[in-house]
């Protein structure tokens, strides 16, 4: 026996895949050794029918497979028919050597197609060896009918099996796992036919317990309507425990090739579904972006007028409620919107990346909803927000001042009104008309004392008027009542002045007729009046309200109070001296037998009233001490709050700045794979999020400071506003950096970029990004391209090429190229992506080569949701061969890629 393969080994080249496939197939065949009689019968019938299905195209056929191929002539003819190629001219002689030469020519041709023939030689075929002849035909079937079958990256036998499984999956009682017993009941054959030609078979009427009927039905339909010859006998298959695998495979491969046109349609439908799925997903992302952008813009539109409303309230409580509302806005309402804004930018960038990767045009949001519009509106929001809190605090400070002034006005007005009560009646009485000389002089002196008292009250009236004026200037809400009361006091004061002058004139006219004066009474009156005024002033000062904002101010008040207390011993001596005058009056009157009228004729200030006032001063001093000490304690508490906030702020502020700088460094470094970088960044983000309690603690300290009405802090340069903005920028920056890495992963996976390429791109980019800004200027980018081997030098061709590249990486003419745009460019021109032409070609297959497609064709070939998606968006076809209901798939396909509009 001649080993055909060994004789031709040095002259043949085979692909490694084909060698491996056929080595395995031939080893499987060789292990059969002597064929099972039932299998041999099935193979002889199947292989004979298969050969005749091709030989009849040349006008001939065979009757006996091992006899009719012995001279090599029909064998060479068979190979020419199934390959479409010409073999060497056969030898027409009848001698054995001529037959061997012809068979060798056929075997040479088979070997030239990459087929490894093991233990099959020309002599065995010429001698009519059944086993070798069947083996040779099986090898031919494998090479020319099965090898080129490819389904989802599987080929040959595995591809054919997968094709069968996919086509029969929807059918009950069918479970194709192999090419032997899975086909015994005949349902799988019927399912294959029904799947492609449902009008030929009523599948629901077939019974699993009637395999012979099922098999014969499939064989007859296939032969009559599909031009597939009957290659098997139903009785042989049913009567065999395990039908011959090669016979089944040969017969099933005929179905695959018969339905190859449908297979092309399925491939086309799959391509269209893939494109439509991408488009539908992108449209959903666009709708989500539009809604989120609209909601965010609407919130900003509603919020800005509120922040711009600087109309002051009338009371402290109302302004403090405004401040509390603003705190809720900063603490509760704004942070989620900051996250929404950041997420909006991330969604926009991710969508643009997906559109680029699927060869779609960039997404242009509707007017007013661009990212730049969102940023502009946000900038306006922060502009409106800026200074709002400061305005609130200034208003609270103003209202606090107003309340203080108003209370001070009421207190001084009440004191003056109490003093002035009855003075008009006193000045208008005519007591001097019947008085003696001494009484008149007494009245005159008393009046002088009153004038002295009146002059002393001039300053108080001026203070009242000044306070009322200041309340008017500060826009006090109750200014009308203040003005009315002030006007009443001033009018009364003018009246008192007029009455005082009138009474003096009357007393002076009478004084010429009256003499005698009691010097002691006069001295008492003169000294008692200013002392009494001093006590009244002291009591007023001791009861005077005060407002301070720091320890130094309260300490100043305490020091002033201590100075006042130091004057009390001298004042007491003056009181005792004044009281001694009254004692001396009593002594002289008693010694000289003078009967006193009971009161000092020159003053209404009695010794009892002086003692009473002095006792009040003595009572007010410790009360003032207590009030000052309480205020000192409050200011010390405020100082503690300042230090508490400052200590934390001086830690948080540098921490935020440090993290911002670290993120900047991370974004340009190349440590590990993108997944490693993404993991590290997410861990880094988690650490930042875990720092949030420190911010919350600081917010709590800040609220305590505001509730205590503390408006300055000398212990730190950080304000809560600056720290909030820094914290928001930190969260936004880490989120954007993570999104950039995610988009790089998306680009890498979609474009097939290796990790080493990404490292090379990043290293090149960073090398020319001298200022670490994350973007290359035009000249930097040109230098980067030159370093990567691009010819963009200064000649016209180089300049034109550079201009072309810049139009791709910088379509908005910003003058800068981001890293994302850089890697998109480096990979986009070498990536195989779906194009409008490919999608048009796929629709053309589904349409049966027509220039239009019908709705029922779409519904038959595509899943329901995607079929309806196309129908809803396709315009009517208006070409010269148009028919009613025809749809224009060409315009629809190009519209998917932005090349034209429907």
């Amino acid at each position: 026996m001649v080993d055909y393969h060994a004789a031709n080994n040095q002259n043949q080249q085979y692909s490694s895949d084909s060698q491996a496939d056929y080595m395995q197939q031939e080893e499987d065949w060789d292990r059969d050794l002597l064929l099972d009689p039932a299998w041999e019968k099935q193979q002889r019938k199947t292989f004979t029918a298969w050969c005749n299905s091709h030989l009849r195209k040349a006008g001939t056929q065979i009757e006996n497979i091992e006899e009719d191929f012995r001279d090599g002539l029909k064998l060479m003819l068979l190979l020419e028919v199934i390959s479409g190629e010409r073999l060497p001219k056969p030898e027409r002689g009848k001698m054995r050597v001529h037959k061997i030469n012809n068979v060798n020519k056929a075997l040479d041709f088979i070997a030239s197609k990459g087929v490894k023939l093991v233990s099959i030689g020309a002599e065995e075929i010429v001698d009519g060896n059944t086993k070798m002849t069947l083996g040779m035909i099986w090898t031919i079937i494998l090479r020319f009918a099965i090898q080129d079958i490819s389904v989802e990256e599987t080929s040959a036998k595995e591809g054919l099996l997968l094709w069968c499984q996919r086509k029969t999956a929807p059918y009950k009682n069918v479970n194709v796992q192999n090419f032997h017993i899975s086909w015994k009941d005949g349902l799988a054959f019927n399912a294959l036919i029904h799947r492609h030609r449902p009008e030929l078979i009523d599948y629901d009427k077939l019974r699993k317990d009637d395999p012979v009927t099922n098999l014969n039905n499939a064989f007859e339909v296939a032969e009559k309507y599909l031009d597939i010859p009957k290659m098997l006998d139903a009785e042989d298959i049913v009567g065999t425990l395990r039908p011959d695998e090669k016979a089944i495979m040969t017969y099933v491969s005929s179905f695959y090739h018969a339905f190859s046109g449908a297979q092309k349609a399925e491939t086309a439908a799959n391509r269209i579904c893939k494109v439509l799925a991408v488009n539908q997903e992108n449209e959903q992302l666009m709708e989500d972006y539009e809604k989120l952008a609209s909601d965010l813009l609407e919130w900003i539109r509603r919020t800005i007028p509120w922040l711009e409303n600087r109309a002051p309230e009338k009371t402290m409580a109302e302004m403090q409620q405004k401040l509390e509302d603003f705190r809720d806005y900063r603490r509760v309402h704004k942070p989620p919107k900051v996250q929404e804004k950041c997420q909006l930018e991330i969604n926009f960038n991710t969508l643009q990346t997906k559109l680029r990767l699927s060869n779609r045009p960039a997404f242009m949001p509707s007017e007013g909803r661009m990212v730049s519009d969102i940023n502009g509106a946000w900038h306006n929001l922060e502009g409106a927000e800026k200074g709002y809190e400061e305005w609130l605090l200034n208003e609270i400070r103003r209202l606090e001042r107003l309340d203080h002034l108003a209370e001070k006005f009421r207190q001084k007005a009440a004191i003056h009104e109490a003093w002035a009560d009855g003075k008009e009646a006193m000045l208008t009485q005519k007591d001097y008309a019947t008085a003696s000389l001494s009484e008149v002089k007494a009245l005159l002196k008393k009046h002088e004392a009153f004038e002295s008292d009146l002059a002393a009250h001039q300053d108080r009236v001026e203070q009242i008027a000044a306070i009322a004026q200041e309340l008017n200037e500060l826009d006090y809400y109750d200014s009308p009542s203040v003005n009315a009361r002030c006007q009443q006091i001033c009018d009364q004061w003018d009246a008192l002045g007029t009455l005082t002058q009138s009474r003096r004139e009357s007393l002076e006219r009478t004084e010429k007729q009256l003499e005698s004066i009691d010097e002691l009474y006069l001295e008492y009156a003169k000294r008692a009046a200013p002392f009494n005024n001093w006590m009244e002033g002291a009591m007023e000062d001791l009861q005077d309200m005060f407002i301070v904002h720091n320890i130094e101010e309260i300490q100043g008040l305490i020091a002033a109070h201590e100075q006042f207390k130091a004057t009390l011993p001298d004042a007491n001596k003056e009181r005792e001296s004044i009281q001694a005058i009254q004692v001396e009056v009593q002594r002289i009157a008693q010694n000289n037998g003078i009967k006193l009228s009971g009161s000092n004729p020159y003053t209404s200030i009695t010794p009892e009233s002086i003692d009473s006032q002095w006792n009040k001063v003595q009572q007010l001093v410790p009360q003032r001490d207590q009030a000052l000490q309480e205020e000192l304690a409050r200011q010390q508490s405020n100082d503690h709050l300042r230090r508490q906030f400052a200590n934390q702020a001086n830690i948080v502020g540098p921490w935020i700045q440090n993290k911002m700088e670290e993120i900047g460094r991370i974004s340009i470094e190349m440590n590990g794979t993108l997944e490693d970088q993404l993991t590290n960044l997410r861990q880094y983000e988690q650490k930042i999020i875990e720092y949030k309690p420190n911010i919350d603690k600081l917010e709590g300290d800040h609220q305590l400071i505001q509730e205590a009405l503390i408006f300055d802090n000398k212990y730190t340069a950080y304000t809560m506003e600056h720290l909030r903005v820094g914290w928001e920028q930190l969260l936004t920056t880490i989120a954007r950096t993570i999104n950039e890495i995610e988009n790089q992963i998306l680009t890498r996976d979609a474009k097939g970029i290796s990790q080493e390429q990404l490292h090379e791109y990043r290293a090149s980019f960073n090398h020319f990004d001298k200022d670490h800004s994350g973007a290359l200027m035009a000249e930097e980018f040109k230098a980067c391209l030159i370093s990567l081997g691009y010819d963009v030098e200064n000649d016209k061709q180089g300049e034109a090429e550079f201009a072309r590249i810049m139009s791709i990486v910088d379509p908005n003419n910003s003058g800068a190229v981001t890293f994302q745009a850089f890697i998109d460019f480096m990979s986009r021109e070498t990536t195989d992506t779906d194009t409008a032409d490919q999608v048009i070609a796929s629709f053309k297959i589904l349409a049966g080569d027509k220039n239009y497609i019908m709705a029922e064709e779409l519904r038959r070939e595509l899943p329901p949701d995607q079929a309806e998606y196309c129908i809803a968006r396709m315009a009517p076809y208006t070409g010269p061969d148009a028919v009613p209901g025809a749809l224009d798939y060409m315009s629809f396909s190009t519209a998917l890629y932005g090349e034209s509009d429907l």
Side-chain angles (χ1 to χ4, degrees):
M1 182 185 296
V2 177
D3 188 337
Y4 180 83
H5 172 67
N8 293 276
N9 186 48
Q10 295 180 351
N11 298 321
Q12 304 297 329
Q13 296 293 327
Y14 312 110
S15 68
S16 60
D17 290 342
S18 296
Q19 290 178 2
D21 290 344
Y22 286 107
M23 178 66 76
Q24 184 63 43
Q25 292 159 358
E26 287 304 323
E27 287 175 355
D28 291 344
W29 183 78
D30 286 340
R31 280 196 296 270
D32 293 343
L33 297 177
L34 296 175
L35 287 171
D36 178 277
W39 288 4
E40 180 181 344
K41 179 181 179 183
Q42 291 174 6
Q43 285 188 17
R44 287 167 62 90
K45 179 176 180 60
T46 301
F47 292 178
T48 298
W50 184 85
C51 291
N52 284 335
S53 70
H54 293 286
L55 286 172
R56 68 186 179 186
K57 299 174 185 177
T60 187
Q61 63 179 15
I62 60 172
E63 298 295 336
N64 188 312
I65 196 167
E66 66 267 31
E67 290 295 330
D68 293 350
F69 285 140
R70 290 177 64 181
D71 60 5
L73 295 177
K74 288 188 177 181
L75 178 59
M76 293 178 70
L77 181 60
L78 173 65
L79 291 173
E80 287 185 343
V81 171
I82 62 178
S83 70
E85 300 179 25
R86 296 290 294 176
L87 271 67
K89 185 177 181 180
E91 298 181 13
R92 295 297 180 178
K94 301 294 185 178
M95 298 178 63
R96 177 179 175 81
V97 65
H98 298 141
K99 296 178 181 180
I100 290 175
N101 288 339
N102 286 339
V103 173
N104 270 329
K105 290 177 182 179
L107 296 179
D108 284 340
F109 180 78
I110 296 172
S112 70
K113 299 302 179 182
V115 179
K116 182 180 180 182
L117 297 168
V118 179
S119 301
I120 298 178
E123 289 85 350
E124 285 82 2
I125 305 303
V126 172
D127 291 339
N129 185 311
T130 301
K131 179 177 181 294
M132 293 301 173
T133 302
L134 292 176
M136 177 189 66
I137 298 302
W138 172 241
T139 298
I140 293 172
I141 293 171
L142 277 177
R143 172 59 185 84
F144 293 100
I146 298 177
Q147 176 183 335
D148 292 335
I149 295 175
S150 178
V151 179
E152 293 186 1
E153 300 183 358
T154 62
S155 59
K157 175 181 177 180
E158 291 77 11
L160 184 61
L161 182 63
L162 179 59
W163 179 79
C164 294
Q165 291 171 338
R166 288 181 56 187
K167 294 301 181 182
T168 60
Y171 294 87
K172 63 182 180 180
N173 297 325
V174 178
N175 183 17
V176 177
Q177 297 296 324
N178 49 54
F179 285 110
H180 37 80
I181 60 174
S182 294
W183 304 83
K184 284 191 66 174
D185 59 12
L187 292 177
F189 290 112
N190 283 276
L192 278 181
I193 298 172
H194 184 270
R195 179 62 182 272
H196 295 90
R197 296 288 299 278
E199 75 280 5
L200 299 180
I201 289 179
D202 189 348
Y203 186 84
D204 292 334
K205 290 186 178 180
L206 301 176
R207 302 199 323 271
K208 186 176 180 62
D209 59 358
D210 190 4
V212 173
T213 299
N214 297 340
L215 289 165
N216 283 328
N217 181 67
F219 297 161
E220 291 168 3
V221 169
E223 186 170 36
K224 182 176 181 181
Y225 296 103
L226 304 178
D227 199 26
I228 299 175
K230 184 177 181 181
M231 301 183 185
L232 301 168
D233 285 324
E235 291 75 14
D236 291 342
I237 293 175
V238 174
T240 304
L241 183 63
R242 183 176 185 271
D244 180 61
E245 185 177 51
K246 298 177 180 61
I248 299 292
M249 281 181 65
T250 301
Y251 188 47
V252 171
S253 70
S254 297
F255 283 88
Y256 177 87
H257 292 293
F259 297 133
S260 60
Q263 187 68 20
K264 290 180 181 178
E266 181 178 352
T267 301
N270 287 339
R271 178 183 291 276
I272 292 170
C273 288
K274 173 184 172 185
V275 171
L276 293 178
V278 170
N279 223 55
Q280 289 172 307
E281 180 185 358
N282 290 341
E283 286 183 358
Q284 185 60 50
L285 289 174
M286 294 175 192
E287 292 177 7
D288 293 344
Y289 172 90
E290 291 280 346
K291 183 179 186 307
L292 186 57
S294 296
D295 292 346
L296 183 57
L297 286 170
E298 174 61 21
W299 178 82
I300 293 173
R301 185 192 65 76
R302 294 196 313 270
T303 305
I304 286 178
W306 175 67
L307 292 171
E308 289 178 339
N309 179 16
R310 305 296 166 89
E313 300 294 343
K314 294 181 178 180
T315 65
M316 279 275 288
E318 291 173 320
M319 286 306 297
Q320 285 174 334
Q321 182 58 49
K322 273 183 174 286
L323 180 60
E324 187 60 33
D325 292 343
F326 181 72
R327 289 197 193 107
D328 285 343
Y329 160 78
R330 293 291 298 148
R331 187 173 56 245
V332 177
H333 302 296
K334 185 181 178 186
K337 299 303 177 184
V338 173
Q339 294 299 318
E340 287 181 16
K341 176 177 176 292
C342 178
Q343 190 61 45
L344 193 69
E345 293 179 8
I346 290 173
N347 291 352
F348 181 84
N349 292 335
T350 301
L351 174 59
Q352 298 293 38
T353 300
K354 288 186 175 182
L355 290 171
R356 286 196 302 272
L357 296 177
S358 58
N359 202 23
R360 301 305 196 273
F363 168 53
M364 286 296 294
S366 58
E367 184 176 356
R369 294 183 177 86
M370 296 283 289
V371 172
S372 58
D373 296 323
I374 304 295
N375 289 333
W378 192 264
H379 178 73
N380 293 337
L381 174 73
E382 293 186 329
E385 181 183 320
K386 185 177 182 181
Y388 185 74
E389 186 174 29
E390 181 181 357
W391 172 78
L392 287 173
L393 295 175
N394 286 337
E395 276 299 307
I396 290 173
R397 190 180 294 117
R398 183 181 70 83
L399 288 174
E400 181 188 35
R401 171 70 176 160
L402 282 173
D403 286 351
H404 171 72
L405 286 174
E407 183 59 30
K408 193 169 185 176
F409 172 83
R410 286 189 289 270
Q411 187 182 69
K412 288 186 178 293
I415 293 173
H416 175 78
E417 289 166 347
W419 173 85
D421 184 40
K423 293 295 188 295
E424 289 187 31
M426 181 195 75
L427 291 171
T428 56
Q429 65 183 342
K430 305 294 184 178
D431 51 348
Y432 55 83
T434 57
S436 63
L437 178 62
S438 60
E439 289 172 338
V440 170
K441 284 189 173 290
L443 288 175
L444 184 59
K445 295 300 180 183
K446 184 178 180 180
H447 188 69
E448 289 176 353
F450 173 75
E451 286 181 325
S452 176
D453 192 16
L454 186 68
H457 277 269
Q458 175 72 33
D459 181 60
R460 181 178 293 121
V461 173
E462 291 175 354
Q463 289 180 14
I464 291 172
I467 293 173
Q469 179 63 28
E470 189 172 358
L471 286 171
N472 277 286
E473 291 173 353
L474 293 176
D475 196 23
Y476 182 53
Y477 77 95
D478 200 20
S479 289
S481 65
V482 169
N483 293 336
R485 190 172 183 181
C486 180
Q487 187 63 45
Q488 184 179 3
I489 289 172
C490 291
D491 291 345
Q492 184 188 42
W493 181 256
D494 292 340
L496 287 177
T498 301
L499 292 173
T500 298
Q501 181 64 27
S502 175
R503 184 171 175 82
R504 168 171 277 283
E505 292 172 354
S506 297
L507 288 173
E508 286 178 347
R509 284 194 304 268
T510 308
E511 184 185 18
K512 296 177 182 179
Q513 304 171 10
L514 302 175
E515 295 176 350
S516 184
I517 186 169
D518 190 334
E519 293 295 338
L520 290 174
Y521 270 161
L522 181 57
E523 182 182 0
Y524 176 92
K526 288 181 178 181
R527 294 176 65 180
F531 184 72
N532 191 63
N533 283 333
W534 174 86
M535 287 192 297
E536 287 181 350
M539 286 190 294
E540 185 175 340
D541 290 341
L542 289 170
Q543 297 177 81
D544 191 23
M545 295 180 63
F546 56 84
I547 179 171
V548 295
H549 297 94
N550 52 56
I551 291 177
E552 291 75 10
E553 291 179 3
I554 189 60
Q555 288 175 338
L557 291 178
I558 291 173
H561 183 60
E562 292 299 322
Q563 290 176 356
F564 167 75
K565 289 196 295 184
T567 66
L568 290 178
D570 290 339
N572 190 43
K573 289 179 181 179
E574 175 67 11
R575 181 187 66 83
E576 292 173 347
S577 178
I578 293 171
Q579 297 293 55
I581 294 174
Q582 182 64 24
V583 171
E584 181 64 15
V585 169
Q586 296 292 340
R587 187 188 67 78
I588 293 173
Q590 184 176 1
N591 290 342
N592 294 281
I594 300 172
K595 186 177 180 181
L596 300 175
S597 62
S599 61
N600 192 322
Y602 305 117
T603 181
S604 61
I605 302 172
T606 65
E608 293 77 17
S609 68
I610 289 177
D611 286 342
S612 176
Q613 293 284 71
W614 178 256
N615 290 335
K616 288 180 181 178
V617 171
Q618 294 295 97
Q619 292 171 2
L620 289 173
V621 167
Q623 293 176 9
R624 184 72 169 184
D625 282 331
Q626 181 179 355
L628 290 171
Q629 291 301 318
E630 288 175 353
E631 181 61 26
L632 177 62
R634 189 174 78 85
Q635 289 301 327
Q636 289 172 337
S637 173
N638 287 354
D639 202 59
H640 170 73
L641 291 177
R642 289 186 181 96
R643 292 179 183 274
Q644 179 175 290
F645 175 83
N647 291 340
Q648 182 71 0
N650 290 337
I651 294 172
V652 171
W655 183 88
I656 290 175
Q657 181 62 32
N658 180 54
K659 295 305 174 189
M660 287 291 289
E661 293 172 357
E662 288 181 4
I663 293 173
R665 289 196 298 271
I666 290 172
S667 65
I668 64 173
E669 292 175 353
M670 299 176 294
N671 296 325
T673 65
L674 288 177
E675 284 75 8
D676 294 338
Q677 295 176 38
L678 187 60
T679 299
N680 292 337
L681 280 171
R682 284 176 173 159
Q683 293 172 350
Y684 196 82
E685 180 184 40
Q686 185 59 37
K687 290 179 181 178
I688 291 175
I689 292 172
E690 291 170 357
Y691 196 75
K692 180 65 162 53
N694 295 282
I695 305 297
D696 296 338
K697 170 66 167 56
L698 207 55
E699 286 282 7
D701 293 344
H702 179 61
Q703 182 168 345
L704 293 176
I705 282 179
Q706 289 190 330
E707 290 171 352
L709 299 178
I710 299 171
F711 305 110
D712 58 352
N713 194 337
K714 65 183 179 180
Y715 302 114
T716 181
Y718 293 102
T719 66
M720 195 65 234
E721 177 63 24
H722 292 155
L723 294 174
R724 288 186 194 122
V725 171
W727 176 252
E728 292 168 359
Q729 288 178 344
L730 180 61
L731 292 178
T732 299
T733 300
I734 188 65
R736 285 174 177 164
T737 304
I738 288 174
N739 180 243
E740 288 175 3
I741 298 299
E742 290 173 336
N743 283 341
Q744 289 178 29
I745 292 174
L746 192 63
T747 301
R748 180 200 65 191
D749 295 343
K751 301 292 188 178
I753 304 173
S754 68
Q755 190 65 40
E756 291 73 17
Q757 285 177 305
L758 273 178
H759 274 294
E760 180 184 352
Y761 294 158
R762 173 54 82 178
S764 298
F765 189 89
N766 288 347
H767 176 76
F768 291 96
D769 184 15
K770 303 298 184 183
D771 57 357
H772 304 300
S773 64
L776 299 181
M777 296 300 102
E779 289 305 315
E780 292 175 332
F781 180 56
K782 177 182 284 189
C784 182
L785 289 176
I786 292 172
S787 73
L788 292 172
Y790 282 81
D791 184 11
V792 289
E793 292 290 355
N794 294 326
D795 60 0
K796 289 186 178 180
Q797 184 175 355
E799 290 177 357
E801 175 64 7
F802 182 66
R804 181 190 72 83
I805 295 174
M806 282 299 293
S807 68
I808 296 172
V809 299
D810 183 23
N812 296 324
N813 296 320
S814 65
V817 181
T818 65
F819 181 65
Q820 184 65 44
F822 175 67
I823 60 173
D824 282 346
F825 167 72
M826 294 304 294
S827 57
R828 68 180 295 173
E829 297 185 351
T830 59
T831 304
D832 181 22
T833 59
D834 291 318
T835 65
D837 290 341
Q838 290 174 325
V839 175
I840 289 173
S842 298
F843 273 118
K844 198 174 187 69
I845 291 174
L846 300 187
D849 211 34
K850 301 189 299 292
N851 291 325
Y852 57 83
I853 194 166
M854 306 301 291
E856 57 268 22
E857 291 174 320
L858 288 170
R859 292 191 177 102
R860 183 178 69 241
E861 299 294 346
L862 299 180
D865 61 330
Q866 294 188 329
E868 298 306 321
Y869 178 85
C870 291
I871 294 168
R873 287 164 174 76
M874 283 187 182
Y877 177 73
T878 57
D881 52 342
V883 298
L887 300 174
D888 187 351
Y889 62 78
M890 294 185 183
S891 295
F892 173 74
S893 300
T894 53
L896 289 177
Y897 291 86
E899 298 174 23
S900 66
D901 295 324
L902 286 178

